[in-house]
Amino acid sequence: MRIRLLWTLLWAWYGVLATLVGIGLAHLAAAVTDPAASPVLAVGSTVIDLTPTPMKEWAIRTFGSADKAVLVGSVLVGVLALAALAGVVARRRFAAGAAVLVVLVAVAAGAVLTRPQAGPLDLVPCVVAALAAPAALRLLARTQDHADDGRSDGRSDGRRTVLLAITALTAIAAAGGIAGRLVSSLRARPEDVALPTPADPARPLPRGLDDQVPGITPFRTPKGDFYRVDTRLDVPVVSADDWTLTIDGDVDRKVTLSFDELLAMPMVERDITLTCVSNSVGGPYVGAARWLGVPLTDVLDLAGIGSTRADQILSTDFAGMTISTPLDLATDGRDALVVVGMNGEPLPREHGFPVRMVIPGLYGFISATKWLTRLTLTRYDDQQAYWTERGWATDAPIKISARIDTPKALAEVDPGDVVVGGVAWAQERGGVAGVQVRVDGGPWVDAQLGPDGGNDYWRQWFHRWSAESGSHRIAVRAVAGNGEPQTAVRAEPFPDGASGLHELLVKVS
Ligand SMILES: Nc1nc2c(c(=O)[nH]1)N[C@H]1C(S)=C(S)[C@@H](COP(=O)(O)O)O[C@H]1N2
Ligand SMILES: [Mo]
């Protein structure tokens, strides 16, 4: 009985190993042809797209930025379970086991082909996997059978051959995966891009409260700490050399720009705080940076939008994902930008290299298209963007919000002087004019504001509180420069952004 289980496990492992060889080599093939066509990622992205919105919301709430790692993980576990089954089946009937592997690859190929802008070349990694995985399984089955025969004949060299085959295949699987990463990261490096100096630079950012208030969010977010929200499982590798931007739809003339042509246009630099619609009150999906780019209206003017009937800019990323932006808001005089630089450097891959959009005052899901390749002037009635199809709002200005960074919720602090501090934002509403703090439902007290980084930038604030022993509830609210107060009415992120006041409990010992 126990022996039988061991045999089953061994053959299950053979199935898994054969599949890993297929995945590793497919990953390598994808790195050479198109990293976005990696079968694992395609399956994962398809699962993400098929996941109903409430479940996705739950995943983001429960796992935070790890939501996609959890998803890829589950897909991988499912794949490996089938792979193990293939191995077990192959012990008795090799053809049936190999067939399970081929079915697995066929599912992946289906996922690859249903991705937008998929081409026949994208099937290469799947073909590689469909050949490599059964071949690896074949090799393992052969050497194992040989070893089994040898044992009954009293030979022992078979065992060594089995070990050799296992080692070699493990090495191939690992090498494929590692080489795949290497190849794709060498292909298009942000650090190889030289940014132009802006014709219209931002004024120097004043010194924030970073050193003065321990635990406060830095006035400018370093690129490594900047939140990342997108539908992708990988870090897309897009080459600036091959990159083009097409402006089409309801325009006077369709225009296509190269990266160099974009860089040759007059650049402006702006300090803008980006916010995700999925951010809950007090949440982490907000970041502030200095962006370098070309005004969106200058880019649209190349194509001519004078007589357009369009009400929507439909922007498309390198993989066909779409984001909608209300045309009137994007062209109302705000600093809507086609961006190439972030905090003085080329955009990091995670944040849209080589080119993305940034539009102040609108949540990222209707404004901040990363890996941008197309701007189509169209109507909401005619074409729906990714999140529009999923029921999210099309008109979603960023809501005024204040966040407490320090102390943390449920923190234990000493009695006496406690500095409460954080950030607040009110983009396109005249910035933040005031922040107030309330303890235990008492009166609202004005907090001190940090320096002004402009109307589209967040503002740091702090308040000195003399804390007495016990449990206390701290709340914060902001007022915008145009006089508009932050609402206390609670709303969930879906469909147009969370609202309500950030409130937390602290324990004073
Ligand atoms: N191509 C693409 N661009 C995208 C997204 C995406 O999923 N794909 N997500 C958007 C969302 S929801 C937000 S909040 C911002 C986040 O930008 P960041 O990841 O640089 O912070 O990017 C936007 N741009
Ligand atoms: Mo977002």
Side-chain angles (χ1 to χ4, degrees), residues 60 227-230 275-279 285 323 363-366 368 387 392:
I60 291 184
Y227 80 94
R228 176 183 173 195
V229 169
D230 53 63
T275 316
C276 181
V277 71
S278 293
N279 196 40
Y285 300 143
I323 282 183
Y363 284 117
F365 81 114
I366 58 159
W387 279 296
W392 290 83

Side-chain angles (χ1 to χ4, degrees), residues 57 84 99 122 169 200 241 324 331 352 360 455 458 479 495:
E57 282 293 284
D122 293 345
L169 290 176
D200 178 0
D241 295 338
S324 72
T331 55
N455 289 346
W458 62 14
V479 179

Side-chain angles (χ1 to χ4, degrees), residues 226-231 274-276 317 321 323 350-351 356 364-365 368-371 387:
F226 207 96
Y227 80 94
R228 176 183 173 195
V229 169
D230 53 63
T231 58
L274 220 66
T275 316
C276 181
D317 83 357
M321 193 269 183
I323 282 183
E350 291 82 351
H351 299 292
R356 76 174 302 169
F365 81 114
T369 317
K370 304 192 273 189
W371 317 291
W387 279 296

Side-chain angles (χ1 to χ4, degrees), residues 129-439:
L131 294 174
L137 188 60
R138 174 105 213 154
L139 179 71
L140 289 165
R142 279 241 176 117
T143 46
Q144 185 61 49
D145 287 346
H146 180 73
D148 294 350
D149 292 349
R151 211 178 26 210
S152 42
D153 301 351
R155 283 184 289 113
S156 65
D157 60 330
R159 250 232 180 103
R160 209 174 316 137
T161 324
V162 171
L163 275 178
L164 205 69
I166 292 180
T167 315
L169 290 176
T170 309
I172 289 176
I178 293 167
R181 268 204 86 81
L182 216 70
V183 169
S184 54
S185 62
L186 284 177
R187 271 176 54 150
R189 303 189 314 156
E191 54 270 39
D192 293 341
V193 166
L195 292 180
T197 45
D200 178 0
R203 69 183 172 100
L205 191 73
R207 211 185 155 83
L209 303 176
D210 307 18
D211 303 330
Q212 246 168 290
V213 180
I216 202 166
T217 297
F219 197 31
R220 175 180 292 159
T221 316
K223 65 175 177 188
D225 295 343
F226 207 96
Y227 80 94
R228 176 183 173 195
V229 169
D230 53 63
T231 58
R232 300 220 43 103
L233 296 161
D234 56 340
V235 177
V237 177
V238 181
S239 147
D241 295 338
D242 306 339
W243 179 89
T244 58
L245 176 64
T246 300
I247 304 112
D248 63 0
D250 189 13
V251 291
D252 295 341
R253 58 200 162 272
K254 177 173 157 180
V255 172
T256 297
L257 278 180
S258 71
F259 189 62
D260 286 338
E261 285 167 337
L262 181 71
L263 288 193
M265 295 177 73
M267 294 269 157
V268 306
E269 195 182 43
R270 295 290 182 266
D271 292 320
I272 297 169
T273 296
L274 220 66
T275 316
C276 181
V277 71
S278 293
N279 196 40
S280 16
V281 173
Y285 300 143
V286 52
R290 171 158 293 189
W291 308 96
L292 175 74
V294 179
L296 176 65
T297 44
D298 288 0
V299 172
L300 295 178
D301 283 346
L302 296 174
I305 57 165
S307 58
T308 188
R309 282 181 60 253
D311 56 8
Q312 166 184 229
I313 304 172
L314 191 78
S315 45
T316 307
D317 83 357
F318 78 110
M321 193 269 183
T322 50
I323 282 183
S324 72
T325 307
L327 178 62
D328 55 343
L329 296 184
T331 55
D332 68 357
R334 70 183 72 204
D335 285 318
L337 299 178
V338 175
V339 163
V340 295
M342 177 181 187
N343 291 346
E345 292 173 30
L347 283 171
R349 284 196 182 116
E350 291 82 351
H351 299 292
F353 181 80
V355 179
R356 76 174 302 169
M357 300 211 312
V358 168
I359 303 181
L362 301 178
Y363 284 117
F365 81 114
I366 58 159
S367 70
T369 317
K370 304 192 273 189
W371 317 291
L372 176 71
T373 60
R374 186 177 293 269
L375 296 167
T376 306
L377 273 89
T378 179
R379 300 188 61 82
Y380 284 101
D381 291 344
D382 295 340
Q383 269 176 290
Q384 267 90 54
Y386 182 90
W387 279 296
T388 314
E389 285 171 346
R390 286 159 179 79
W392 290 83
T394 51
D395 188 357
I398 298 173
K399 297 178 182 175
I400 304 170
S401 203
R403 181 177 78 189
I404 304 169
D405 295 332
T406 179
K408 295 273 172 238
L410 305 178
E412 288 200 25
V413 298
D414 292 331
D417 234 16
V418 171
V419 178
V420 181
V423 284
W425 53 92
Q427 300 95 322
E428 289 294 307
R429 289 179 156 99
V432 172
V435 170
Q436 295 180 317
V437 175
R438 181 180 68 184
V439 180

Side-chain angles (χ1 to χ4, degrees), residues 106-118:
V107 171
V112 168
L113 281 184
T114 53
R115 304 304 298 157
Q117 295 185 358

